[in-house]
Amino acid sequence: MDEDERARLAEFVASRAPALMRVAYLLTGDLGDAEDLLQSALAKTIPRWGSIRHSDPEGYLRAVMYREQVSWWRRLRRRREVPIGTSDSGVRDSSADADLRLALRAALWQLPPRQRTVVVLRYYEDLPEARVAYLLGCSVGTVRSRTHRAITRLRQLLPNMEPLELRR
């Protein structure tokens, strides 16, 4: 990798790392795991940087993160820790709806990892079902059923939450 490519890579990482870190945090539910996920995805992306810099490096990196997270679930399926309560995540949120976001974050942590990932990809990343299915290596029907189960569970966990379109 020549000096120009290193400079472009450093600029990309510096400018996009906060957004990528937020996605990693939403996928993992833990700041330390999010840092590990992003670092692992970067380690897999950097050797291919020269071939992806002209297309969509952020999209490529996000796909690597999603797939890496799925691999972690498969390896740690039985040994996964379940967070109890909430802690300061280190991810800053300047929204006026902090209480809503804290309640939603706590509810997301209570979802199984695969349901949480589908919710993050569908609603935070705003990806279509077919793209989510492709990224997770499953069928569109699986994405739909996981989304349905996740939304049903979130409604159980947050029964008094108004639909967002009613809040003004």
Side-chain angles (χ1 to χ4, degrees):
M1 184 181 306
D2 65 16
E3 289 301 317
D4 288 341
E5 286 184 25
R6 286 181 194 202
R8 282 191 290 271
L9 175 62
E11 181 182 326
F12 168 76
V13 171
S15 67
R16 298 308 304 152
L20 293 166
M21 186 63 188
R22 285 190 295 271
V23 171
Y25 177 75
L26 289 170
L27 290 171
T28 62
D30 179 76
L31 184 59
D33 288 344
E35 290 170 345
D36 291 344
L37 179 61
L38 180 56
Q39 184 174 22
S40 177
L42 283 168
K44 289 182 177 189
T45 303
I46 289 172
R48 294 171 178 83
W49 182 255
S51 64
I52 62 169
R53 66 184 163 91
H54 294 296
S55 59
D56 181 17
E58 185 169 351
Y60 184 93
L61 183 59
R62 285 175 186 245
V64 171
M65 282 176 26
Y66 305 145
R67 289 197 170 122
E68 186 71 8
Q69 180 66 14
V70 169
S71 295
W72 287 4
W73 295 330
R74 289 180 179 147
R75 278 185 297 216
L76 303 174
R77 182 177 290 165
R78 293 192 176 111
R79 296 182 295 169
R80 182 92 175 142
E81 293 180 24
V82 177
I84 298 175
T86 61
S87 65
D88 182 21
S89 65
V91 179
R92 295 184 51 136
D93 183 6
S94 61
S95 172
D97 293 329
D99 291 337
L100 172 66
R101 290 187 183 273
L102 288 172
L104 185 56
R105 183 179 73 181
L108 280 171
W109 281 357
Q110 294 181 45
L111 293 177
R114 292 176 189 213
Q115 288 180 14
R116 182 173 54 242
T117 299
V118 170
V119 169
V120 169
L121 294 175
R122 288 284 291 129
Y123 300 104
Y124 183 77
E125 291 288 315
D126 198 28
L127 296 178
E129 292 170 337
R131 180 73 175 149
V132 174
Y134 172 76
L135 289 170
L136 298 180
C138 63
S139 70
V140 172
T142 300
V143 170
R144 288 178 181 158
S145 65
R146 285 184 186 161
T147 303
H148 174 75
R149 284 189 217 117
I151 297 300
T152 300
R153 181 68 178 139
L154 287 172
R155 286 182 177 143
Q156 291 170 351
L157 294 169
L158 303 166
N160 297 327
M161 187 168 293
E162 302 173 23
L164 292 178
E165 60 269 4
L166 296 178
R167 301 184 79 222
R168 297 280 172 175

